[in-house]
Amino acid sequence: VPISRAQTSPDYSSDVKFCKVEAIIRPWRVPHVSSGLLKMGIRGVTVSDVKGFGAQGGSTERHGGSEFSEDKFVTKVKMEIVVSKDQVDAVIDKIIEEARTGEIGDGKIFVIPVSDIIRVRTGERGDKAERMTGGRADMISSASSN
Ligand code: ATP
Ligand code: GLN
C-alpha cells in the first residue's frame, strides 16, 4: 500500500495570533543579533546554550576553537523570540542580517505557532501579555503618529 501524502501542507498556524521564532545560530553572532533586535523594539528574548549537528556536522568551527567540543556536536546558541504574527518576518530578516556569514554553520530558523501568552506578574493574556512597554508596536505607532 503506497503511503499517502498531502499535496499541500496545511496552514497549521492559521488560527493563531503569535509565533515563536526559534533561531539556532553561531554563539559569537549573538551580541549582533540581540542588539539588532533591541534597536527594532524586540525586548523579549530567551537565549540558551545548545549543541547539535547539521550540514556543518562535527567539522571544526572556524571562529574560535572553544566553539568545538570533544564530541560530534557543534556548540550553538538558541534564541527564542515570541512575537505577534505581523512581526515574524521583521524578526527573521534581522536575525539573518546579523547572524549570516555565508559559511556552512550559520544556522537555521524555525517558526512555531504559539496558542497563548500569559504574563505571570499581572495574569494578562494574549495581546496584552505579548505587548511590551516601549516595544516594537509602540515604536511603530509613535513613528506613524508623528
Ligand atoms: P513584566 O512586565 O512583569 O516584567 P515581561 O513581559 O517584561 O513581564 P519578564 O518577566 O521580564 O517579562 O520576562 C521573563 C523572561 O521571559 C525573560 O527574561 C525572557 O527570557 C522571557 N521572555 C519574555 N518575553 C519574551 C518573549 N516575547 N519572547 C521570548 N522570551 C521572552
Ligand atoms: N511584539 C511586542 C511589542 O511590540 C514585542 C515582543 C518581543 O519583544 N518579543 O511590544
Side-chain angles (χ1 to χ4, degrees):
V1 179
I3 298 162
S4 68
R5 294 175 198 280
Q7 294 304 296
T8 56
S9 54
D11 185 3
Y12 292 112
S13 55
S14 61
D15 57 343
V16 152
K17 297 166 81 174
F18 317 107
C19 285
K20 180 167 79 172
V21 179
E22 190 174 288
I24 316 289
I25 62 172
R26 298 182 197 273
W28 64 279
R29 286 266 135 190
V30 172
H32 302 84
V33 175
S34 57
S35 66
L37 291 171
L38 268 174
K39 278 180 204 147
M40 62 186 279
I42 300 301
R43 310 186 54 215
V45 176
T46 300
V47 174
S48 325
D49 295 322
V50 297
K51 294 195 286 181
F53 56 80
Q56 189 183 15
S59 62
T60 43
E61 180 61 87
R62 280 175 185 220
H63 303 278
S66 62
E67 260 190 73
F68 182 63
S69 49
E70 320 71 50
D71 55 34
K72 289 275 164 52
F73 300 109
V74 180
T75 298
K76 298 287 177 185
V77 167
K78 178 166 72 176
M79 298 185 83
E80 295 168 278
I81 307 122
V82 175
V83 290
S84 55
K85 262 184 167 180
D86 61 301
Q87 295 180 354
V88 167
D89 288 339
V91 168
I92 291 169
D93 289 349
K94 183 57 69 178
I95 293 169
I96 293 169
E97 184 187 327
E98 300 296 345
R100 201 186 108 90
T101 69
E103 302 284 316
I104 284 170
D106 274 351
K108 207 162 258 187
I109 300 172
F110 307 106
V111 180
I112 301 144
V114 168
S115 301
D116 205 359
I117 302 171
I118 298 98
R119 177 170 280 124
V120 172
R121 180 173 59 84
T122 59
E124 292 167 304
R125 298 182 78 125
D127 294 317
K128 283 187 175 160
E130 192 271 342
R131 285 290 188 91
M132 297 188 64
T133 308
R136 182 163 180 78
D138 282 355
M139 279 173 54
I140 289 168
S141 67
S142 71
S144 63
S145 66
N146 284 341

